[in-house]
Amino acid sequence: MIVYEFKCKGKDKQYRAIDDAIRTSQFIQNKCLRYWMDNKDKKVDKYALNKHCAVLAAEFPFADELNSMARQSAAERAWSAIAGFYDNCKKKVKGKKGFPNFKKYSRSVEYKTSGWKLSPNRKAITFSDKKGIGTLKLKGTYDLNCYDIKQIKRVRLVRRADGYYAQFAVDVDVRIESQPTGQVVGIDLGLKYFIADNKGNVEESPQFYRKAEKQLIRANRKKSKKYDPKKKKAKQPQSTNYHKARGRYARKHLRVSRQRKEYCIRLAYSAIQSNDLVAYEDLNVKGLVRNRHLAKSISDAGWSTFRSWLEYLGHKYGKVTVAVPPHNTSQNCSNCGEKVKKSLSTRTHVCPHCGFVEDRDVNAAINILQRGLSTVGHTGTYAWGDLPSWAVGASLLSSGESLSQESPTL
Ligand SMILES: [Zn+2]
């Protein structure tokens, strides 16, 4: 699967219709979740949820307006959350199992193979269900003409701070033959450096969020000043100026997330291009982010984005990516294997057993590579084949947008 993304151009009325479709999709997703919660004794499965869609359509006219396959997509979203929860329970994951939540701020609606039609030159798309979205112009440099319409498996409409986007999931294998480089690399993800490898190369942390923080705080303050709690109490809409300020704030955030993403992709691309095998730590980023002191830096670093792209590009260029268990990679001596205890602030690894001296992160990267080489074949939990391709895409795209030259897979 490959995803092409276009900006949509339409009239205000059409954008409101997209909002309505997104809302309906969210409604169905939540109703399906509710149905599952209320009928736990009846073993509700994927197919039961799909059937429940028809019940909802009969009961609620606005649900009936949405294309039937788009309704199914919404039910599938609910199911994937439920299935993820079951999976975590089965695997006995430590801590929270990710019990599915009701969605409040959905940003997209997904059509499958019906309910839409591309124009003859494929520069516009018309939605034919009763939501009244109509014809949207597609702005972008990609050309959909080189694919058979049957290859387009899904069309997703996404709302962002700076407008509406259409994503096309095209069923095509992206694998590209590449020459072996004879090189392998171990990568340590750090806070001081974004990444360090076993050869001693380090990449500074770009800290896009921290750099933009002042501006973000200022924009947020301006937004708050225009917020009127009395209006909230009286259930009246906030002022136009408030919504303008809110948009400005959201667009600034969008910019930071795009910067971070492009940076991650560039690093992942160069690691994949110059190596045959890339080993990295199988970090539980979610668990780490809960530590308040590290949270901002880790979220800012965008490790999970980096990793998703590493795995995707590895798949694309036929390279091996290995996620290794992170235990003691920074503590053990990569030269003699003895454990050398050090705190987070100790930046250099000095081994009292064999005299080996190396930068802390580089020492860890060497350990990671050694582990990676000894476990080839056992790729990590998030490694490509383990997830349905669609789920990988969902995480690649969760922060928003695709890159200008490269489109991530679904
Ligand atoms: Zn040693």
Side-chain angles (χ1 to χ4, degrees), residues 100-287:
N101 286 325
F102 290 108
K103 288 275 168 286
K104 264 164 113 180
Y105 306 105
S106 297
R107 294 187 302 178
S108 65
V109 56
E110 198 171 272
Y111 289 77
K112 291 193 190 176
T113 49
S114 70
W116 54 270
K117 200 171 181 248
L118 282 168
S119 67
N121 67 358
R122 302 194 180 176
K123 294 278 182 206
I125 185 168
T126 307
F127 288 88
S128 54
D129 59 359
K130 289 180 223 128
K131 282 295 175 195
I133 296 170
T135 304
L136 297 164
K137 278 187 200 149
L138 300 172
K139 299 282 177 194
T141 50
Y142 306 119
D143 192 1
L144 286 173
N145 284 305
C146 29
Y147 299 106
D148 190 351
I149 287 290
K150 285 197 192 95
Q151 284 178 286
I152 300 176
K153 299 297 184 196
R154 303 196 185 219
V155 177
R156 196 194 272 175
L157 286 169
V158 186
R159 177 179 56 217
R160 293 207 188 99
D162 64 347
Y164 293 80
Y165 294 80
Q167 295 175 339
F168 294 82
V170 185
D171 185 14
V172 43
D173 195 6
V174 290
R175 273 171 191 263
I176 289 176
E177 286 284 313
S178 57
Q179 290 294 320
T181 56
Q183 299 288 314
V184 291
V185 72
I187 290 176
D188 180 53
L189 302 166
L191 288 180
K192 186 139 182 288
Y193 306 116
F194 182 67
I195 55 172
D197 72 13
N198 59 302
K199 290 159 201 158
N201 302 318
V202 288
E203 186 72 38
E204 294 283 330
S205 213
Q207 302 199 318
F208 296 116
Y209 180 78
R210 284 190 189 232
K211 276 180 198 157
E213 209 171 11
K214 255 191 196 160
Q215 273 196 26
L216 284 168
I217 289 170
R218 200 180 306 132
N220 194 14
R221 201 181 296 132
K222 279 189 183 163
K223 186 191 82 175
S224 312
K225 270 186 192 161
K226 295 185 173 76
Y227 181 79
D228 187 351
K230 277 184 212 138
K231 279 188 180 159
K232 166 90 178 169
K233 240 183 182 172
K235 295 211 164 131
Q236 282 168 355
Q238 295 291 330
S239 68
T240 321
N241 280 336
Y242 166 76
H243 287 290
K244 275 185 191 163
R246 193 179 61 114
R248 275 194 294 271
Y249 177 60
R251 280 192 297 278
K252 280 201 189 338
H253 265 291
L254 192 60
R255 187 163 165 259
V256 174
S257 85
R258 279 181 179 151
Q259 279 177 332
R260 187 184 297 145
K261 185 167 179 187
E262 300 220 345
Y263 173 81
C264 288
I265 297 171
R266 204 171 58 237
L267 280 190
Y269 184 78
S270 82
I272 290 293
Q273 283 299 309
S274 40
N275 297 284
D276 295 338
L277 177 144
V278 182
Y280 48 93
E281 282 171 294
D282 190 3
L283 286 178
N284 173 3
V285 174
K286 237 189 192 166

